[in-house]
Amino acid sequence: MQRVAIVDYGMGNLFSVAKKTGKVHSQTIVASSVPDIEQADKIILPGVGHFGKAMNNLHSSGLMEILHHKVVEQKTPVLGICLGMQLMCNESEEGGLEGLKWIDATVKRFEIADTLRYKVPHTGWNNIRIEKKSPLMEGIPDNSEFYFVHSFRVICNDPGDILNTTNHETDFTSAFQKENIFGVQYHPEKSHDTGSRLIENFLKL
């Protein structure tokens, strides 16, 4: 049975992700050591909070090298959730640090003109549009709703990497995919049956 590692770098929602994933797949562990990640067949990078602090935590965790080896060299499927998605990018305005650089993208704060109608953080249920075919989206209808909580958005330099878009005054990238690398800005672990289906799809890769 395949092993699923949820990376613990001290930021956020890993236990709710582990609970949701564990309902789908029993061989799920919260991973904070190199051997845990080294043996993983799938990797989930969760996260809630500050980009700069998260990158500092990843550097101090000693997991950077094994994550890079597994994802970039061995092409192990990886799913970034919320902040975990943003960490995969080149850099962020939040904290001014470089990211993992797995995806050619930057992270910037929402710039909202109509602040009475559109709030930051972008919080609650919103629709996603599926921009390209992907096994991650199998059985998930276009315009499905997912749960969001975020103040920063991803801007992909390569439009071909964009998997989902969502509108919050203007359209933004709510999911991307490049080869084995998947990122979702929304929270599948909080998105009921549709979120469960997305996690099931990832584990089937």
Side-chain angles (χ1 to χ4, degrees):
M1 185 177 288
Q2 65 176 346
R3 290 160 290 194
V4 182
I6 299 172
V7 182
D8 179 8
Y9 59 99
M11 297 291 288
N13 61 334
L14 67 163
F15 290 107
S16 59
V17 174
K19 183 178 179 180
K20 188 80 166 183
T21 306
K23 290 181 179 178
V24 177
H25 184 78
S26 58
Q27 286 279 56
T28 300
I29 62 167
V30 174
S32 57
S33 70
V34 169
D36 285 342
I37 295 171
E38 192 171 41
Q39 296 170 22
D41 302 299
K42 302 284 194 308
I43 297 170
I44 297 178
L45 187 65
V48 174
H50 190 275
F51 184 100
K53 183 178 179 182
M55 285 307 303
N56 282 330
N57 285 5
L58 272 175
H59 281 290
S60 62
S61 72
L63 301 177
M64 291 285 287
E65 184 176 347
I66 186 60
L67 285 171
H68 185 83
H69 174 71
K70 292 286 288 185
V71 172
V72 177
E73 297 176 19
Q74 291 191 347
K75 302 295 183 182
T76 302
V78 60
L79 174 64
I81 297 174
C82 195
L83 179 60
M85 174 192 184
Q86 296 177 6
L87 296 177
M88 296 173 167
C89 301
N90 294 329
E91 60 188 354
S92 174
E93 288 183 341
E94 186 181 35
L97 295 181
E98 292 185 346
L100 295 167
K101 297 185 176 181
W102 294 343
I103 291 283
D104 185 13
T106 57
V107 182
K108 295 188 177 182
R109 187 175 176 85
F110 275 112
E111 295 176 357
I112 300 295
D114 185 355
T115 55
L116 291 177
R117 184 176 178 186
Y118 297 98
K119 304 299 181 183
V120 178
H122 170 219
T123 303
W125 295 91
N126 205 338
N127 302 84
I128 60 105
R129 291 192 300 276
I130 299 173
E131 302 293 347
K132 66 177 182 178
K133 188 175 181 179
S134 168
L136 194 67
M137 294 287 110
E138 183 179 348
I140 297 175
D142 197 25
N143 289 314
S144 291
E145 284 192 328
F146 285 87
Y147 189 82
F148 291 80
V149 184
H150 62 120
S151 299
F152 291 77
R153 71 198 193 283
V154 168
I155 301 172
C156 289
N157 294 320
D158 182 353
D161 293 336
I162 298 172
L163 177 56
N164 298 160
T165 56
T166 295
N167 185 272
H168 188 60
E169 189 174 66
T170 58
D171 289 348
F172 68 92
T173 298
S174 51
F176 57 53
Q177 179 195 350
K178 183 177 181 180
E179 298 177 343
N180 58 304
I181 299 167
F182 300 82
V184 295
Q185 185 62 70
Y186 43 82
H187 288 271
E189 77 280 7
K190 296 180 180 180
S191 299
H192 305 323
D193 292 343
T194 309
S196 295
R197 180 58 189 263
L198 186 142
I199 290 172
E200 288 175 11
N201 289 344
F202 174 70
L203 297 180
K204 289 177 182 176
L205 294 174

